[in-house]
Amino acid sequence: MTNSPIKQALHLPASTAAPTEHQLRSPKSSRGLRKLHSAHQLSSNYAALNTTSLISQQRQQQQQRNTSASHTAQPPQIPPLPILSSHHRTRSNSDAVVPNVASNASTSRKMTTTRRSPASQDPREELEGLVRQGPQGDLQAKLARLRYLVLCEGLLADGDGMSQSRIYVWLILLNAPAMPTDSYLDLIRRGASPAYSKIRNDTFRTLATNPLFKRRVSEASLIRLLNAIAWKLHDAKIERLGDSTKVNAANELGSPELQHASTVVKHAQGPPTTTATDGSEAGGTEPGIYVQGMNVLCAPFLYAARSEAEAFVAFHLFVTRECPGYVRGAMDGVHKGLALVDKCLAIIDPKLSAYLQSKHMKAELYAFASVLTMCACTPPLPEVLQIWDFLFAYGPHLNILCICAQLVIMRETLLTSPSPTKLLRAFPPLQAKLIIEFAASNLRKIPADIYEELVHHAE
């Protein structure tokens, strides 16, 4: 068991027929998608493109350095978090209809300030400079500084949660490689994936009551991205299983190599596209290509990104590197996370935990959606984005503590309610600043062994 990376990182504080290729495209796709401005174009000194994410790299480095270290390390103090100010800008994403916001132009000019000397530079200007110009000097020190600024200062955003730099910060922290937009377009041109029917059954209800999301992201955009992700995961699955599409017509087993193979191997080598979800229904440890809930998990990426290609890169890396256990057929990572919600709540607030347990209210009954979607199922969306900034900076595993924070915020109401089940059917609106402060300040209460479970539960 090693010291947790976060403790080292915080230095200071219904189904349809498969459509044709033409039907899958949006009416406005002829105009093309904007070229992806990779985060690496903003940082010429960035690390190798095809490595694991920064969060995973940091975890591996700590495991190498601390193989015999003590499990009692405590996280340092977290400074108070300032309140975010408002900022306005126009939006360009997919083919959603954008309202007329001509007044934003003057507001954007108002936000432009003169350049200050480094000694007197505003922290948020420093953060924007790191994203635009890339790190100068020590890369690791600049990454630590970027995380600190995201935690303590936050990203400049308007009242709708729109930020010019957010998607690039996320791509940097994910260590996303550069990807030609044509790679995304090629996946779209392939038409309907094996999971297309299931995707269409989910997308129309994605954040259906959220006017901000509905105004800025179209269902067509969501369908395209999820279908492209399904193709990407499907291709990776085929690559793992080998080229099982080559069938020897003279051999009823499909391949000479399988004549003497075991039943398990023959089953594994069977055609991979016989079900609509490739493992998402049957369960097991093999990654699926789509599970219910991925539509909501994908929504913030499309909302924050300036193009579908950017959202595709970030979402694909997120579900394959940071939380692959959440999108496996059995969703074993989600179930581990639910068990950890109960464990962490018992440590942080024993009285509240005991009361909920006395009412037979385990996390699996009320927190499944919050764990699976990283709190994206709870409005308002701008607050979700602020919480995600924190999770990208210090690890998506901290979402478990963010869920505990929401329960503690409701503490008095829950303790005085004879039926907390009704209250927990839907969490109250998110308060991002308060939730982040709670998660960071209560991290020290989590024992090292429980924290190791937090770090690895989504793998």
Side-chain angles (χ1 to χ4, degrees), residues 312-330:
F312 171 81
V313 171
F315 183 52
H316 178 255
L317 288 175
F318 186 70
V319 298
T320 57
R321 290 182 182 175
E322 303 304 328
C323 57
Y326 283 16
V327 298
R328 278 196 283 267

mmCIF file of all heavy atoms in Angstrom, residues 312-330:
data_model
loop_
_atom_site.group_PDB
_atom_site.id
_atom_site.type_symbol
_atom_site.label_atom_id
_atom_site.label_comp_id
_atom_site.label_asym_id
_atom_site.label_seq_id
_atom_site.Cartn_x
_atom_site.Cartn_y
_atom_site.Cartn_z
ATOM 1 N N PHE A 312 -14.599 14.638 -27.794
ATOM 2 C CA PHE A 312 -14.338 13.220 -28.053
ATOM 3 C C PHE A 312 -13.015 12.781 -27.433
ATOM 4 O O PHE A 312 -12.934 11.748 -26.757
ATOM 5 C CB PHE A 312 -14.333 12.969 -29.563
ATOM 6 C CG PHE A 312 -13.857 11.593 -29.938
ATOM 7 C CD1 PHE A 312 -14.726 10.508 -29.867
ATOM 8 C CD2 PHE A 312 -12.548 11.371 -30.346
ATOM 9 C CE1 PHE A 312 -14.297 9.227 -30.202
ATOM 10 C CE2 PHE A 312 -12.108 10.095 -30.679
ATOM 11 C CZ PHE A 312 -12.981 9.028 -30.607
ATOM 12 N N VAL A 313 -11.969 13.546 -27.644
ATOM 13 C CA VAL A 313 -10.659 13.192 -27.109
ATOM 14 C C VAL A 313 -10.704 13.125 -25.587
ATOM 15 O O VAL A 313 -10.250 12.161 -24.971
ATOM 16 C CB VAL A 313 -9.594 14.211 -27.577
ATOM 17 C CG1 VAL A 313 -8.275 13.968 -26.849
ATOM 18 C CG2 VAL A 313 -9.375 14.108 -29.077
ATOM 19 N N ALA A 314 -11.268 14.152 -24.963
ATOM 20 C CA ALA A 314 -11.293 14.201 -23.506
ATOM 21 C C ALA A 314 -12.152 13.083 -22.921
ATOM 22 O O ALA A 314 -11.747 12.422 -21.959
ATOM 23 C CB ALA A 314 -11.815 15.566 -23.037
ATOM 24 N N PHE A 315 -13.331 12.852 -23.491
ATOM 25 C CA PHE A 315 -14.231 11.826 -22.956
ATOM 26 C C PHE A 315 -13.642 10.431 -23.136
ATOM 27 O O PHE A 315 -13.706 9.594 -22.227
ATOM 28 C CB PHE A 315 -15.590 11.928 -23.655
ATOM 29 C CG PHE A 315 -16.621 10.960 -23.133
ATOM 30 C CD1 PHE A 315 -16.895 10.885 -21.782
ATOM 31 C CD2 PHE A 315 -17.315 10.123 -23.999
ATOM 32 C CE1 PHE A 315 -17.839 9.995 -21.289
ATOM 33 C CE2 PHE A 315 -18.267 9.231 -23.520
ATOM 34 C CZ PHE A 315 -18.515 9.170 -22.167
ATOM 35 N N HIS A 316 -13.033 10.168 -24.287
ATOM 36 C CA HIS A 316 -12.443 8.853 -24.527
ATOM 37 C C HIS A 316 -11.313 8.568 -23.539
ATOM 38 O O HIS A 316 -11.234 7.484 -22.942
ATOM 39 C CB HIS A 316 -11.929 8.761 -25.957
ATOM 40 C CG HIS A 316 -11.258 7.456 -26.262
ATOM 41 N ND1 HIS A 316 -9.882 7.343 -26.366
ATOM 42 C CD2 HIS A 316 -11.754 6.200 -26.451
ATOM 43 C CE1 HIS A 316 -9.567 6.077 -26.615
ATOM 44 N NE2 HIS A 316 -10.686 5.364 -26.675
ATOM 45 N N LEU A 317 -10.442 9.532 -23.325
ATOM 46 C CA LEU A 317 -9.355 9.340 -22.362
ATOM 47 C C LEU A 317 -9.883 9.167 -20.951
ATOM 48 O O LEU A 317 -9.351 8.379 -20.164
ATOM 49 C CB LEU A 317 -8.389 10.531 -22.419
ATOM 50 C CG LEU A 317 -7.504 10.619 -23.658
ATOM 51 C CD1 LEU A 317 -6.705 11.910 -23.638
ATOM 52 C CD2 LEU A 317 -6.575 9.422 -23.749
ATOM 53 N N PHE A 318 -10.925 9.901 -20.624
ATOM 54 C CA PHE A 318 -11.467 9.850 -19.275
ATOM 55 C C PHE A 318 -12.019 8.470 -18.950
ATOM 56 O O PHE A 318 -11.733 7.913 -17.882
ATOM 57 C CB PHE A 318 -12.562 10.911 -19.122
ATOM 58 C CG PHE A 318 -13.092 11.040 -17.723
ATOM 59 C CD1 PHE A 318 -12.311 11.580 -16.717
ATOM 60 C CD2 PHE A 318 -14.383 10.631 -17.398
ATOM 61 C CE1 PHE A 318 -12.788 11.709 -15.423
ATOM 62 C CE2 PHE A 318 -14.868 10.744 -16.108
ATOM 63 C CZ PHE A 318 -14.065 11.293 -15.124
ATOM 64 N N VAL A 319 -12.811 7.901 -19.875
ATOM 65 C CA VAL A 319 -13.445 6.612 -19.571
ATOM 66 C C VAL A 319 -12.494 5.434 -19.755
ATOM 67 O O VAL A 319 -12.738 4.352 -19.218
ATOM 68 C CB VAL A 319 -14.726 6.392 -20.419
ATOM 69 C CG1 VAL A 319 -15.757 7.458 -20.111
ATOM 70 C CG2 VAL A 319 -14.420 6.346 -21.906
ATOM 71 N N THR A 320 -11.408 5.614 -20.496
ATOM 72 C CA THR A 320 -10.476 4.503 -20.709
ATOM 73 C C THR A 320 -9.287 4.537 -19.763
ATOM 74 O O THR A 320 -8.709 3.487 -19.472
ATOM 75 C CB THR A 320 -9.967 4.477 -22.165
ATOM 76 O OG1 THR A 320 -9.353 5.738 -22.489
ATOM 77 C CG2 THR A 320 -11.115 4.203 -23.121
ATOM 78 N N ARG A 321 -8.921 5.703 -19.263
ATOM 79 C CA ARG A 321 -7.778 5.808 -18.361
ATOM 80 C C ARG A 321 -8.161 6.033 -16.909
ATOM 81 O O ARG A 321 -7.560 5.455 -16.008
ATOM 82 C CB ARG A 321 -6.857 6.957 -18.799
ATOM 83 C CG ARG A 321 -6.113 6.714 -20.087
ATOM 84 C CD ARG A 321 -5.205 7.886 -20.383
ATOM 85 N NE ARG A 321 -4.489 7.708 -21.651
ATOM 86 C CZ ARG A 321 -3.700 8.642 -22.175
ATOM 87 N NH1 ARG A 321 -3.537 9.798 -21.552
ATOM 88 N NH2 ARG A 321 -3.088 8.410 -23.327
ATOM 89 N N GLU A 322 -9.102 6.892 -16.674
ATOM 90 C CA GLU A 322 -9.408 7.292 -15.302
ATOM 91 C C GLU A 322 -10.507 6.470 -14.649
ATOM 92 O O GLU A 322 -10.457 6.248 -13.442
ATOM 93 C CB GLU A 322 -9.796 8.788 -15.252
ATOM 94 C CG GLU A 322 -8.742 9.724 -15.820
ATOM 95 C CD GLU A 322 -7.394 9.562 -15.161
ATOM 96 O OE1 GLU A 322 -7.352 9.233 -13.953
ATOM 97 O OE2 GLU A 322 -6.373 9.739 -15.847
ATOM 98 N N CYS A 323 -11.516 6.050 -15.388
ATOM 99 C CA CYS A 323 -12.604 5.287 -14.774
ATOM 100 C C CYS A 323 -13.104 4.180 -15.689
ATOM 101 O O CYS A 323 -14.304 4.102 -15.977
ATOM 102 C CB CYS A 323 -13.764 6.211 -14.368
ATOM 103 S SG CYS A 323 -14.457 7.192 -15.710
ATOM 104 N N PRO A 324 -12.213 3.292 -16.174
ATOM 105 C CA PRO A 324 -12.670 2.200 -17.034
ATOM 106 C C PRO A 324 -13.610 1.246 -16.319
ATOM 107 O O PRO A 324 -14.460 0.617 -16.957
ATOM 108 C CB PRO A 324 -11.361 1.492 -17.427
ATOM 109 C CG PRO A 324 -10.385 1.861 -16.366
ATOM 110 C CD PRO A 324 -10.763 3.247 -15.953
ATOM 111 N N GLY A 325 -13.490 1.125 -14.991
ATOM 112 C CA GLY A 325 -14.376 0.254 -14.227
ATOM 113 C C GLY A 325 -15.816 0.720 -14.227
ATOM 114 O O GLY A 325 -16.727 -0.064 -13.928
ATOM 115 N N TYR A 326 -16.042 1.990 -14.551
ATOM 116 C CA TYR A 326 -17.399 2.527 -14.587
ATOM 117 C C TYR A 326 -18.138 2.131 -15.855
ATOM 118 O O TYR A 326 -19.375 2.168 -15.878
ATOM 119 C CB TYR A 326 -17.368 4.047 -14.478
ATOM 120 C CG TYR A 326 -17.113 4.580 -13.091
ATOM 121 C CD1 TYR A 326 -16.597 3.777 -12.086
ATOM 122 C CD2 TYR A 326 -17.391 5.908 -12.780
ATOM 123 C CE1 TYR A 326 -16.358 4.266 -10.817
ATOM 124 C CE2 TYR A 326 -17.154 6.408 -11.510
ATOM 125 C CZ TYR A 326 -16.631 5.592 -10.531
ATOM 126 O OH TYR A 326 -16.405 6.081 -9.270
ATOM 127 N N VAL A 327 -17.414 1.812 -16.935
ATOM 128 C CA VAL A 327 -18.059 1.524 -18.217
ATOM 129 C C VAL A 327 -17.930 0.066 -18.614
ATOM 130 O O VAL A 327 -18.244 -0.298 -19.749
ATOM 131 C CB VAL A 327 -17.502 2.431 -19.343
ATOM 132 C CG1 VAL A 327 -17.784 3.885 -19.039
ATOM 133 C CG2 VAL A 327 -16.010 2.205 -19.552
ATOM 134 N N ARG A 328 -17.451 -0.784 -17.713
ATOM 135 C CA ARG A 328 -17.488 -2.220 -17.954
ATOM 136 C C ARG A 328 -18.905 -2.710 -17.803
ATOM 137 O O ARG A 328 -19.723 -2.081 -17.112
ATOM 138 C CB ARG A 328 -16.552 -2.946 -16.985
ATOM 139 C CG ARG A 328 -15.112 -2.938 -17.431
ATOM 140 C CD ARG A 328 -14.315 -3.972 -16.681
ATOM 141 N NE ARG A 328 -14.005 -3.530 -15.347
ATOM 142 C CZ ARG A 328 -12.884 -2.903 -15.009
ATOM 143 N NH1 ARG A 328 -11.981 -2.635 -15.933
ATOM 144 N NH2 ARG A 328 -12.663 -2.552 -13.760
ATOM 145 N N GLY A 329 -19.203 -3.869 -18.422
ATOM 146 C CA GLY A 329 -20.567 -4.387 -18.414
ATOM 147 C C GLY A 329 -21.135 -4.538 -17.025
ATOM 148 O O GLY A 329 -22.299 -4.243 -16.776
ATOM 149 N N ALA A 330 -20.324 -5.012 -16.081
ATOM 150 C CA ALA A 330 -20.802 -5.230 -14.718
ATOM 151 C C ALA A 330 -20.778 -3.962 -13.882
ATOM 152 O O ALA A 330 -21.279 -3.943 -12.756
ATOM 153 C CB ALA A 330 -19.963 -6.312 -14.036
#
